[in-house]
Amino acid sequence: QVQLVESGGGLVQAGDSLRLSCAASGRTFENYAVGWFRQAPGKEREFVAGISWSGDGTEYADSVKERFNISRDNTKKTVYLQMNSLKAEDTAVYYCAAVSSGETILLSPSLYNYWGQGTQVTVPS
């Protein structure tokens, strides 16, 4: 019903910045909250940041607070993740996901219905 495509990943040095994009298409509705998750080799998916439908509500994992910023443009059906001061421990495949929870931000990946294919972010140590 909803297709999500991430872009913007790459290899950057520690301290650099990247902006990831998550573009939605297909049958979308005006109530999707969106989360960014990441998964490193040998690790489970972890919540990174989430944003409510209106964009007024945001949540961040402690590990990325004050470094990452999530935003959205519903006209473009795109959610962004601005990542600053990147560290080696940020290396992972980053996924965006959507769920029709409106203004409620959900933290568990199991609660999300739609997922993108992921984009690799690599920060060498």
Side-chain angles (χ1 to χ4, degrees), residues 7-8 11 13 16 21-22 29 33 36-38 50 53-54 57 69 73 88 95-96 102 112 115:
S7 62
L11 189 153
Q13 300 301 309
D16 286 354
S21 298
C22 174
F29 302 92
W36 283 97
F37 297 81
R38 66 188 181 188
W53 166 250
S54 70
N69 180 255
D73 184 339
Y95 301 90
C96 65
Y112 285 77
W115 292 83

Side-chain angles (χ1 to χ4, degrees), residues 3 5 13-14 16 26 31 33-34 37-38 44 49-50 55 70 75 78 83 88 94 101 103 111 125:
Q3 293 80 47
V5 179
Q13 300 301 309
D16 286 354
N31 65 347
V34 174
F37 297 81
R38 66 188 181 188
E44 294 185 346
I70 187 170
T75 299
T78 301
M83 305 186 295
Y94 283 71
S101 58
E103 296 304 298
L111 298 176
S125 60

